Amino acid sequence: MTDLLFTNARLIDPEAGTDAPGWLHVVDGRIAATGGGEAPAPGAGELLVDCGGMCLAPGIVDLGVKVCEPGERHKESYRSAGQAAAAGGVTTIVTRPDTAPAIDSPETLEFVTRRAQADAPVNVLPMAALTKGRQGREMTEIGFLMDAGAVAFTDCDHVVEDTKVLSRALTYARSLGALVIGHPQEPGLSHGAAATSGKFASLRGLPAVSPMAERMGLDRDIALIEMTGARYHADQITTARALPALERAKANGLDITAGVGIHHLTLNEFDVANYRTFFKLKPPLRSEDDRQAVIEAVRSGLIDIICSMHTPQDEESKRLPFEEAASGAVGLETLLPAALRLYHSGDLSLPQLFRALALNPAKRLGLGSGRLTAGAPADLVLFNPDAPFVLDRFKLKSKSKNTPFDGGRMQGRVLATYVAGAPVYRRD
């Protein structure tokens, strides 16, 4: 393992909240020291990396990535997802269990863990299903799955409708200290929805769901967290209506965090104007007022985590009428340049962005990464925040190309990605 000395860097430290010139020293795959003055001379055998004034930040920890193994490897494999992550500055992907079959047994979990270790150049942490088959009827063997390496438990967008089943699962998870990730949505109201209710959805003739469905789902989950004391993370909070409930739950001392997908932070309901199915997401894109409210929640820290909600879909499932098309978009490679839109618009600083992209997800999962402090793993991303480009979806490393940013003007390029001090991506 080669030791590294990064010099002439713009260090983005989300823990200290600083954005300042400096240097960073890596020894044996871990950060040994950082500083703001003149860099020390490199030792014998150390590799000097001149960052040229570019940004050096903790690698992104992406919570909620779908890799389609087992079952739909043609959409995304661990190899392609790992390459896309490395190209996007993502050093740790936390994978969802909504595969075919679902990851609901230690055997399936061990299979995907072996595939990830063999094929992915970045860290891969698997989540497991909360209920068997993600069907909401019988909880999985949470203890055995934790022993096999599951870092959290979720049924993804299959909301557990039976409150008794969910309360038992939360109680059991609480006894083991397991993290449960929920999808705040009232399933009856949201079933079949392709847009958010309002004038725009009515004019387009799209089946829609009220933003209150998210608030109702979150209210139920908060009540169950209060009853059971479980550790809980809401995968996506996308509406202003849900924010007061989240704020009250945190103020009351509940062990709750919340995330939001990058597409809901940077796009709104008007982006689906021409029925382009790459903009069909779950939950659907919201109003501009909701988008602004959620950005403010990220800025204040009420919403803790920004993720890609990477959901590969093949061409056949997207080339359908908007109402019938599959939901979801790929995001591993576009997460950072899309997030930098919020930096360039003045909504969030770079330390605030990386607090939500790297530090907070790492802290929620009990990882040592996501920071630039001595002793932390040297999982790093070097990027130029100002480099402009037009996104071509066919150049993405993901097998699936369903990105809403296709043809979009982006600003911010990943130059290199390091995992445990080893380069896993360098831009040509």
Side-chain angles (χ1 to χ4, degrees), residues 63-93:
L63 178 57
V65 174
K66 181 172 182 178
V67 180
C68 306
E69 289 190 69
E72 297 176 303
R73 197 166 182 269
H74 65 285
K75 292 184 179 180
E76 195 79 288
S77 66
Y78 278 99
R79 183 180 300 280
S80 61
Q83 291 171 345
V90 177
T91 53
T92 299
I93 58 176

Short mmCIF file of all heavy atoms in Angstrom, two decimals, residues 63-93:
data_model
loop_
_atom_site.label_atom_id
_atom_site.label_comp_id
_atom_site.label_asym_id
_atom_site.label_seq_id
_atom_site.Cartn_x
_atom_site.Cartn_y
_atom_site.Cartn_z
N LEU A 63 -26.39 6.13 0.63
CA LEU A 63 -27.30 5.26 1.37
C LEU A 63 -28.56 5.00 0.56
O LEU A 63 -29.39 5.88 0.36
CB LEU A 63 -27.66 5.92 2.71
CG LEU A 63 -28.63 5.22 3.64
CD1 LEU A 63 -28.13 3.83 3.99
CD2 LEU A 63 -28.85 6.04 4.90
N GLY A 64 -28.69 3.76 0.02
CA GLY A 64 -29.91 3.40 -0.70
C GLY A 64 -29.72 3.17 -2.17
O GLY A 64 -30.51 3.64 -3.00
N VAL A 65 -28.68 2.42 -2.53
CA VAL A 65 -28.36 2.14 -3.93
C VAL A 65 -28.94 0.78 -4.32
O VAL A 65 -28.75 -0.20 -3.60
CB VAL A 65 -26.83 2.13 -4.14
CG1 VAL A 65 -26.48 1.68 -5.55
CG2 VAL A 65 -26.25 3.51 -3.85
N LYS A 66 -29.62 0.73 -5.46
CA LYS A 66 -30.10 -0.57 -5.94
C LYS A 66 -29.10 -1.14 -6.94
O LYS A 66 -28.79 -0.53 -7.96
CB LYS A 66 -31.46 -0.44 -6.62
CG LYS A 66 -31.97 -1.81 -7.10
CD LYS A 66 -33.39 -1.79 -7.60
CE LYS A 66 -33.83 -3.18 -8.02
NZ LYS A 66 -35.23 -3.23 -8.46
N VAL A 67 -28.57 -2.32 -6.60
CA VAL A 67 -27.77 -3.11 -7.52
C VAL A 67 -28.60 -4.35 -7.84
O VAL A 67 -29.10 -5.01 -6.93
CB VAL A 67 -26.41 -3.50 -6.92
CG1 VAL A 67 -25.60 -4.32 -7.90
CG2 VAL A 67 -25.63 -2.25 -6.52
N CYS A 68 -28.77 -4.65 -9.09
CA CYS A 68 -29.79 -5.62 -9.49
C CYS A 68 -29.30 -7.06 -9.50
O CYS A 68 -29.73 -7.86 -10.34
CB CYS A 68 -30.35 -5.22 -10.85
SG CYS A 68 -30.96 -3.53 -10.90
N GLU A 69 -28.42 -7.38 -8.59
CA GLU A 69 -28.04 -8.78 -8.37
C GLU A 69 -28.56 -9.19 -7.00
O GLU A 69 -28.34 -8.46 -6.02
CB GLU A 69 -26.52 -8.94 -8.41
CG GLU A 69 -25.89 -8.77 -9.79
CD GLU A 69 -24.42 -9.17 -9.80
OE1 GLU A 69 -24.15 -10.38 -9.66
OE2 GLU A 69 -23.58 -8.28 -9.91
N PRO A 70 -29.22 -10.34 -6.88
CA PRO A 70 -29.57 -11.29 -7.96
C PRO A 70 -30.83 -10.86 -8.71
O PRO A 70 -31.58 -10.02 -8.25
CB PRO A 70 -29.82 -12.57 -7.18
CG PRO A 70 -30.36 -12.11 -5.85
CD PRO A 70 -29.62 -10.83 -5.55
N GLY A 71 -31.01 -11.48 -9.88
CA GLY A 71 -32.28 -11.41 -10.58
C GLY A 71 -32.35 -10.55 -11.82
O GLY A 71 -33.00 -10.94 -12.79
N GLU A 72 -31.70 -9.37 -11.81
CA GLU A 72 -31.82 -8.48 -12.97
C GLU A 72 -30.45 -7.90 -13.31
O GLU A 72 -30.28 -6.69 -13.46
CB GLU A 72 -32.80 -7.35 -12.66
CG GLU A 72 -34.22 -7.82 -12.40
CD GLU A 72 -35.14 -6.67 -12.00
OE1 GLU A 72 -34.85 -5.98 -11.02
OE2 GLU A 72 -36.16 -6.48 -12.69
N ARG A 73 -29.50 -8.77 -13.46
CA ARG A 73 -28.12 -8.34 -13.67
C ARG A 73 -27.96 -7.53 -14.95
O ARG A 73 -27.01 -6.76 -15.09
CB ARG A 73 -27.21 -9.58 -13.68
CG ARG A 73 -25.74 -9.27 -13.48
CD ARG A 73 -24.96 -10.54 -13.17
NE ARG A 73 -23.56 -10.24 -12.93
CZ ARG A 73 -22.62 -10.23 -13.86
NH1 ARG A 73 -22.96 -10.51 -15.12
NH2 ARG A 73 -21.37 -9.95 -13.58
N HIS A 74 -28.90 -7.69 -15.89
CA HIS A 74 -28.81 -6.92 -17.12
C HIS A 74 -29.02 -5.43 -16.87
O HIS A 74 -28.61 -4.59 -17.69
CB HIS A 74 -29.83 -7.43 -18.14
CG HIS A 74 -31.25 -7.23 -17.73
ND1 HIS A 74 -31.86 -8.00 -16.75
CD2 HIS A 74 -32.19 -6.33 -18.14
CE1 HIS A 74 -33.11 -7.60 -16.59
NE2 HIS A 74 -33.33 -6.59 -17.42
N LYS A 75 -29.65 -5.07 -15.75
CA LYS A 75 -29.87 -3.66 -15.43
C LYS A 75 -28.66 -3.05 -14.72
O LYS A 75 -28.32 -1.89 -14.97
CB LYS A 75 -31.11 -3.50 -14.54
CG LYS A 75 -32.43 -3.84 -15.23
CD LYS A 75 -33.59 -3.56 -14.29
CE LYS A 75 -34.93 -3.86 -14.93
NZ LYS A 75 -36.06 -3.58 -14.02
N GLU A 76 -28.07 -3.78 -13.80
CA GLU A 76 -26.90 -3.29 -13.07
C GLU A 76 -26.25 -4.45 -12.32
O GLU A 76 -26.95 -5.24 -11.68
CB GLU A 76 -27.30 -2.21 -12.06
CG GLU A 76 -26.14 -1.40 -11.51
CD GLU A 76 -25.65 -0.33 -12.47
OE1 GLU A 76 -25.02 -0.69 -13.50
OE2 GLU A 76 -25.92 0.86 -12.21
N SER A 77 -24.95 -4.55 -12.42
CA SER A 77 -24.18 -5.55 -11.69
C SER A 77 -23.32 -4.84 -10.66
O SER A 77 -23.16 -3.62 -10.68
CB SER A 77 -23.31 -6.35 -12.65
OG SER A 77 -22.30 -5.52 -13.22
N TYR A 78 -22.70 -5.62 -9.77
CA TYR A 78 -21.80 -5.01 -8.80
C TYR A 78 -20.58 -4.42 -9.48
O TYR A 78 -20.03 -3.41 -9.02
CB TYR A 78 -21.40 -6.02 -7.73
CG TYR A 78 -22.45 -6.14 -6.65
CD1 TYR A 78 -23.38 -7.16 -6.65
CD2 TYR A 78 -22.54 -5.18 -5.65
CE1 TYR A 78 -24.36 -7.25 -5.68
CE2 TYR A 78 -23.53 -5.24 -4.68
CZ TYR A 78 -24.43 -6.28 -4.70
OH TYR A 78 -25.40 -6.34 -3.74
N ARG A 79 -20.17 -5.01 -10.59
CA ARG A 79 -19.03 -4.46 -11.30
C ARG A 79 -19.37 -3.09 -11.90
O ARG A 79 -18.65 -2.11 -11.72
CB ARG A 79 -18.58 -5.41 -12.41
CG ARG A 79 -17.32 -4.93 -13.16
CD ARG A 79 -16.93 -5.91 -14.25
NE ARG A 79 -16.64 -7.24 -13.70
CZ ARG A 79 -15.48 -7.57 -13.13
NH1 ARG A 79 -14.51 -6.68 -13.03
NH2 ARG A 79 -15.30 -8.79 -12.67
N SER A 80 -20.51 -3.01 -12.61
CA SER A 80 -20.86 -1.74 -13.25
C SER A 80 -21.24 -0.68 -12.22
O SER A 80 -20.88 0.50 -12.36
CB SER A 80 -22.01 -1.94 -14.25
OG SER A 80 -23.17 -2.44 -13.62
N ALA A 81 -21.95 -1.08 -11.17
CA ALA A 81 -22.31 -0.12 -10.12
C ALA A 81 -21.06 0.39 -9.41
O ALA A 81 -20.96 1.59 -9.09
CB ALA A 81 -23.26 -0.76 -9.12
N GLY A 82 -20.10 -0.51 -9.16
CA GLY A 82 -18.87 -0.09 -8.51
C GLY A 82 -18.07 0.87 -9.35
O GLY A 82 -17.51 1.85 -8.85
N GLN A 83 -18.03 0.63 -10.65
CA GLN A 83 -17.31 1.53 -11.55
C GLN A 83 -18.01 2.89 -11.63
O GLN A 83 -17.36 3.94 -11.64
CB GLN A 83 -17.21 0.91 -12.94
CG GLN A 83 -16.28 -0.30 -13.00
CD GLN A 83 -16.34 -1.03 -14.32
OE1 GLN A 83 -17.25 -0.83 -15.12
NE2 GLN A 83 -15.36 -1.90 -14.57
N ALA A 84 -19.34 2.88 -11.67
CA ALA A 84 -20.10 4.13 -11.69
C ALA A 84 -19.89 4.91 -10.40
O ALA A 84 -19.74 6.14 -10.41
CB ALA A 84 -21.58 3.85 -11.91
N ALA A 85 -19.89 4.19 -9.28
CA ALA A 85 -19.68 4.85 -7.99
C ALA A 85 -18.30 5.51 -7.94
O ALA A 85 -18.17 6.67 -7.54
CB ALA A 85 -19.83 3.83 -6.86
N ALA A 86 -17.28 4.77 -8.35
CA ALA A 86 -15.92 5.31 -8.32
C ALA A 86 -15.82 6.55 -9.21
O ALA A 86 -15.20 7.55 -8.83
CB ALA A 86 -14.93 4.25 -8.77
N ALA A 87 -16.45 6.52 -10.38
CA ALA A 87 -16.42 7.67 -11.28
C ALA A 87 -17.21 8.85 -10.73
O ALA A 87 -16.98 10.00 -11.13
CB ALA A 87 -16.98 7.27 -12.65
N GLY A 88 -18.12 8.58 -9.79
CA GLY A 88 -18.93 9.65 -9.20
C GLY A 88 -18.43 10.13 -7.85
O GLY A 88 -19.09 10.94 -7.21
N GLY A 89 -17.27 9.63 -7.40
CA GLY A 89 -16.75 10.05 -6.11
C GLY A 89 -17.41 9.36 -4.93
O GLY A 89 -17.25 9.78 -3.78
N VAL A 90 -18.16 8.28 -5.19
CA VAL A 90 -18.83 7.52 -4.14
C VAL A 90 -17.90 6.38 -3.71
O VAL A 90 -17.58 5.51 -4.51
CB VAL A 90 -20.18 6.95 -4.63
CG1 VAL A 90 -20.83 6.10 -3.55
CG2 VAL A 90 -21.11 8.07 -5.07
N THR A 91 -17.45 6.42 -2.46
CA THR A 91 -16.51 5.40 -1.98
C THR A 91 -17.19 4.29 -1.20
O THR A 91 -16.59 3.23 -0.98
CB THR A 91 -15.43 6.04 -1.11
OG1 THR A 91 -16.05 6.82 -0.07
CG2 THR A 91 -14.54 6.96 -1.95
N THR A 92 -18.42 4.51 -0.77
CA THR A 92 -19.19 3.46 -0.07
C THR A 92 -20.61 3.48 -0.60
O THR A 92 -21.27 4.52 -0.57
CB THR A 92 -19.20 3.69 1.45
OG1 THR A 92 -17.87 3.65 1.95
CG2 THR A 92 -20.01 2.60 2.15
N ILE A 93 -21.08 2.33 -1.10
CA ILE A 93 -22.48 2.22 -1.50
C ILE A 93 -23.19 1.28 -0.52
O ILE A 93 -22.69 0.21 -0.18
CB ILE A 93 -22.65 1.75 -2.96
CG1 ILE A 93 -21.98 0.40 -3.23
CG2 ILE A 93 -22.10 2.78 -3.91
CD1 ILE A 93 -22.21 -0.12 -4.64
#
